[in-house]
Amino acid sequence: MSGFDIGQDIISYVALGDSFTEGMDDPYPGDSAVPQGGRYRGWADRLAEHVADTGTEVRYANLAVRGKLIRQIIDDQLPRAVELRPDLVTFCAGGNDIIRPGGDPDLVARVFEGAVRRLTDTGATVVLFTGADTASQPVMRHLRGRIATYNMHVRAIADRYGCPVVDLWGMAALHDRRAWSEDRLHMSAEGHRRLALRVCEVLGVPAEGDWDAPWPDLPAPDWRLARQADLHWAREFLVPWIGRRLTGRSSGDGRTAKRPNLEPLR
């Protein structure tokens, strides 16, 4: 981890990726929802806040945009990240490629490695992420094989380039449905909070809280309510997602990065 030292007076941090890194679905305190064009918080913002809490000045850019495929991230975000020459980079990409029909984790991994090479050449510490285990999500369970294959590639790439890895697959706390938002694809605010703490642990950043703390007990499941929730999810989230795939649209169309420049965290 050549470019990152928690003892520095100033740390520059750039986050690259898609909706996972943009912060969906984690609204800022006081906002019950984020309106069209609004800004989410997310684990990357929370990570920057934790670093700043140590007394270090943090200059932070978040280039992530929801819905982006890996080649779009490389074309649109990677050159800017290299230009900024940060001390710390978090890079998570490829998930949107893999969950699409015919997604090839081997091909995505080859593209991913080229990006990691360019990022590590800057001297930055580049943090990588495995995909989360979808065993607890019935609609996504069939993707476990692709995700596991991609995860093995990510770990091998991390070994080759000396990158720390945040293992989402092994985070049992993410197996609880409360770690995920209503759309069952993005993390909830609590999921983002726990993930930020896990990234801090990997980087050696002191932070208050336990990402692996037990969840409070849930009442016994009600199958009628569960079926109603499934129907609501299909109507509100699955059908629109399929519609975007069929028409070649993306949730990120027309959107730009929420923090395109390295700016002091306030």
Side-chain angles (χ1 to χ4, degrees):
M1 296 191 293
S2 57
F4 179 73
D5 176 5
I6 192 59
Q8 295 173 218
D9 293 332
I10 301 174
I11 289 175
S12 55
Y13 164 36
V14 175
L16 292 81
D18 50 33
S19 59
F20 171 76
T21 302
E22 183 185 342
M24 295 174 70
D25 285 318
D26 180 16
Y28 269 88
D31 293 337
S32 59
V34 176
Q36 187 77 7
R39 197 183 80 167
Y40 287 99
R41 187 183 189 185
W43 64 265
D45 286 24
R46 291 171 179 268
L47 170 62
E49 292 162 10
H50 285 308
V51 176
D53 285 343
T54 67
T56 296
E57 180 181 335
V58 177
R59 296 175 182 173
Y60 168 49
N62 189 318
L63 309 180
V65 176
R66 67 194 69 173
K68 296 302 182 182
L69 302 174
I70 189 167
R71 292 188 185 278
Q72 293 172 317
I73 292 170
I74 290 172
D75 290 344
D76 299 340
Q77 300 176 30
L78 190 143
R80 178 59 174 159
V82 170
E83 178 186 9
L84 291 173
R85 308 289 296 187
D87 304 304
L88 175 66
V89 173
T90 55
F91 180 46
C92 185
N96 286 327
D97 300 78
I98 292 171
I99 67 174
R100 293 190 177 203
D104 184 345
D106 301 318
L107 174 60
V108 175
R110 287 196 290 273
V111 178
F112 183 83
E113 180 168 6
V116 172
R117 182 185 305 114
R118 291 172 63 184
L119 290 169
T120 55
D121 281 348
T122 68
T125 295
V126 181
V127 181
L128 308 181
F129 298 76
T130 68
D133 187 356
T134 58
S136 60
Q137 302 180 37
V139 177
M140 304 282 284
R141 189 177 296 145
H142 69 286
L143 297 171
R144 291 186 82 208
R146 288 189 206 170
I147 296 171
T149 300
Y150 190 58
N151 286 351
M152 295 304 293
H153 283 300
V154 169
R155 287 193 169 278
I157 292 166
D159 286 345
R160 284 196 286 274
Y161 295 92
C163 300
V165 177
V166 179
D167 181 18
L168 273 68
W169 185 281
M171 287 182 66
L174 298 185
H175 298 171
D176 191 290
R177 69 172 183 263
R178 288 167 289 184
W180 301 91
S181 68
E182 191 179 15
D183 70 3
R184 306 182 184 181
L185 181 62
H186 300 103
M187 288 189 300
S188 65
E190 177 62 12
H192 281 283
R193 186 189 72 84
R194 289 176 181 251
L195 179 55
L197 291 172
R198 177 70 179 114
V199 182
C200 284
E201 183 178 80
V202 169
L203 288 172
V205 175
E208 184 177 348
D210 179 7
W211 64 266
D212 202 23
W215 291 86
D217 291 337
L218 282 170
D222 183 322
W223 69 267
R224 292 183 181 85
L225 293 178
R227 297 294 77 75
Q228 291 173 4
D230 289 343
L231 290 172
H232 172 78
W233 171 80
R235 181 176 62 252
E236 297 296 326
F237 301 106
L238 179 61
V239 172
W241 184 85
I242 293 173
R244 290 195 297 272
R245 299 291 77 74
L246 293 176
T247 57
R249 293 177 293 119
S250 167
S251 58
D253 289 347
R255 292 186 177 272
T256 57
K258 65 181 183 180
R259 292 181 66 99
N261 303 308
L262 281 174
E263 297 175 344
L265 194 69
R266 304 189 188 281

